[in-house]
Structures are given as structure tokens and as C-alpha cells.
Amino acid sequence: MAEHEIDTPAATAVVDATPADRRVDGVLARVRIGAGELTGALQRVAEHVLSDPEAAARATIVELAERSGTSPATITRFCRAMGFEGYADLRLGIAAETGRARSAGWTVDIGREIQPGDPLSRVLDQIMAADTRAMHDTAALLDLNEVERAAVAIAGAGRVNIFGASGSALVGEEMQFSLHRIGVAAWSWSDVHEGLASAALLGAGDVALGISHTGQTRETIELLAEAGSRGATTVALTGFPRSPLAELADIVLVTASQATTFRPDALSARHPQLVVLDLLYIAVAQRTHDRAHAAFRRTAQAVDGHKAAKETSI
């Protein structure tokens, strides 16, 4: 079937390829992340693959082209945009991923709308399946070298500023609390005026972490840009590696999400975000072990007196 739209070169280079030994993981997550940045025929291919991955894995390149209303040449360009040499590699990756998901039970209810009369047991299964899939995809997409770079920067930083709005601000506060407990001078800012004032005081040797699932939150972008202009190392935690926030950051940490009813991407991304930040926190603690251990012990002792006393049995 002939194509009715022309793909531009820019539209084919939207998702960075992952390391070779992890290429078959997170294929669908990469397609979901890249779909919003694709245009025309390439976007139709992405939408068709996401609508029925198992059928896409079984289809020949000609069949997939016909079903998506494109051409085999477009399918090949789509594969390269996703970081694969050709359709055979993409097909194998999707088949392996859907096979693992099916055997693990992750596909149960994913994508199905929650109905008002659904029992809580079914709702729980859907939430667990979606979160498990999102965290698995995040682990596959995450560049551990970038986590390492961020950990080294934070471990040696004089000051760490964390920026985020709305739900991202809550995630940022969790990270600030964790870092503070191990003696890292960290602050979390959600107000843009206060955040800008703090960012303006950063300099070389400091770190600024901006959190935004879409990577398009204007306030967070402005705050991270201000910190970067002062010489601070900038880190972005986002679900979109080609977003404005990611483009201006020195280090990019990518998360995946799996939307469900009442939990759009921004909300469903929270658990994967916390997992990545927990990994980053542990990596920082490892690199500041003696200081972190002593600080954690002192902070634990400081609040110990406010815990309920245990009753002693006679």
C-alpha cells in the first residue's frame, strides 16, 4: 500500500538506541516514548504496534505495512528510529518482551478500562500488573552510566537543589529527605520564585536535579536552566529523552510509565521515578559510605526518642 505522507529525516531519529546487551528489553517502552515525537506514517506504525504487540510480532513486514497503512520502507525507517537494524530484530524484541509479560501475568488487564462495578481484587491486579511492567521497562531503558555520573556528582556536591512541580515535587521531597539523612546538603523547591533564587546561588561543584515526567513543565525547565547557567551540573529525571528538560541537562535519567484508568502517565510514572531515585540515593550512599553511615546513625538516634516505647512483658 502506498504511503500518503512523507517522513522527514528528523522524524526518524527520536529514540536513542540502548546498549546492545539490553536491546530486546523495553522495546514497547521505547515505542511509547518515541510515538509522541514521530510524525505521519511513522506515528501510524507506532500506534499499530502498541495497539496489539503480539499481532505485530507475528506479522511480516508487508503485513505490518498494510495494517498500518504505510509501506515496507517506512517499517524499516521505524525500526531504525527505535534503535534496531531491521524488522527482524524489532520483531524478535517484541516477541520476547510480550512472551515474558504473558508468562509473568503482566498483561492481565493492562490497557483495559476500569469499570465502576469492578471488584477491588481486579483493580488491584491491574494496578500491580501496570506498575510491574512500568518498573521493568524503566530498568531496561535506564542508562546505568548516567546514574553513575549523577551519583558521583551528588556525592561530591557542596549543595544539591531538587526542582519539581505538583506530583514531581512530592517525588523530589522524598529524594531530598533521603539525601539529607546521609549528610548531603539538599533542598527541594516547588515554588518557582524561591527555586530561582536558590538556583542563582549555585555554582561549579553543585548539582541541580529537575523532575518532570513530560519534560515540558515550564517552571522546572526554567529552574534547571538557571542552575546550569551558574555552572551547576544539571540532571533531568523524565520519561522523554528528547524533551526540552532533557535537552538542557548534562545527565538524563529516563523512566517509563504504564497508564491505567484514573492514573494517566504523570501519575503512573511516580513509582518508577521513586525506584530510579532510590537507586541514585543508594549509589550516593555507597560513594560516601563512612560519612553516610555516621550521618544516618546520628539522625536515627535523634528521632529514636519519639518512637512509641515497646511494652516489656513480665
Side-chain angles (χ1 to χ4, degrees), residues 21-271:
D21 59 344
R22 302 169 74 188
R23 291 183 58 178
V24 297
D25 291 324
V27 176
L28 297 178
R30 272 190 273 163
V31 174
R32 277 192 291 272
I33 289 173
E37 300 174 27
L38 294 170
T39 59
L42 290 176
Q43 188 174 54
R44 293 203 302 274
V45 176
E47 291 171 351
H48 185 79
V49 168
L50 292 174
S51 68
D52 194 346
E54 292 189 358
R58 293 192 300 268
T60 66
I61 189 171
V62 174
E63 290 171 340
L64 184 59
E66 291 178 347
R67 294 171 187 175
S68 59
T70 61
S71 72
T74 296
I75 303 299
T76 300
R77 287 195 293 273
F78 173 78
C79 294
R80 290 172 181 167
M82 295 299 107
F84 291 89
E85 294 181 1
Y87 182 59
D89 287 343
L90 175 69
R91 187 179 179 185
L92 179 62
I94 295 175
E97 187 169 333
T98 54
R100 286 193 300 270
R102 186 170 55 253
S103 63
W106 298 344
T107 57
V108 177
D109 288 335
I110 291 182
R112 173 189 175 277
E113 291 293 314
I114 296 175
Q115 303 301 321
D118 284 349
L120 287 181
S121 59
R122 185 164 194 172
V123 175
L124 176 61
D125 286 343
Q126 182 177 18
I127 292 173
M128 291 295 293
D131 281 355
T132 300
R133 182 56 181 269
M135 286 188 281
H136 175 86
D137 287 346
T138 294
L141 290 171
L142 190 61
D143 187 339
L144 296 182
N145 291 326
E146 292 288 271
V147 177
E148 174 78 23
R149 290 180 60 206
V152 169
I154 292 175
R159 180 186 179 100
V160 178
N161 271 8
I162 304 171
F163 305 123
S166 189
S168 295
L170 299 177
V171 175
E173 289 174 4
E174 287 279 345
M175 184 60 170
Q176 184 272 334
F177 174 74
S178 296
L179 291 175
H180 196 72
R181 286 292 300 271
I182 59 172
V184 176
W187 286 262
S188 178
W189 305 99
S190 58
D191 180 87
V192 67
H193 289 193
E194 294 177 349
L196 282 172
S198 183
L201 297 176
L202 297 179
D206 295 325
V207 174
L209 168 62
I211 304 172
S212 170
H213 172 64
T214 63
Q216 298 184 33
T217 305
R218 290 176 58 187
E219 294 84 353
T220 306
I221 293 171
E222 185 179 3
L223 291 167
L224 204 66
E226 175 66 26
S229 72
R230 302 294 177 174
T233 298
T234 53
V235 183
L237 178 66
T238 180
F240 295 86
R242 297 284 184 178
S243 64
L245 184 70
E247 292 289 350
L248 66 85
D250 299 313
I251 301 169
V252 180
L253 308 179
V254 181
T255 62
S257 64
Q258 182 69 57
T260 59
T261 311
F262 305 122
R263 296 172 77 222
D265 282 342
L267 291 177
S268 60
R270 193 169 303 169
H271 288 159

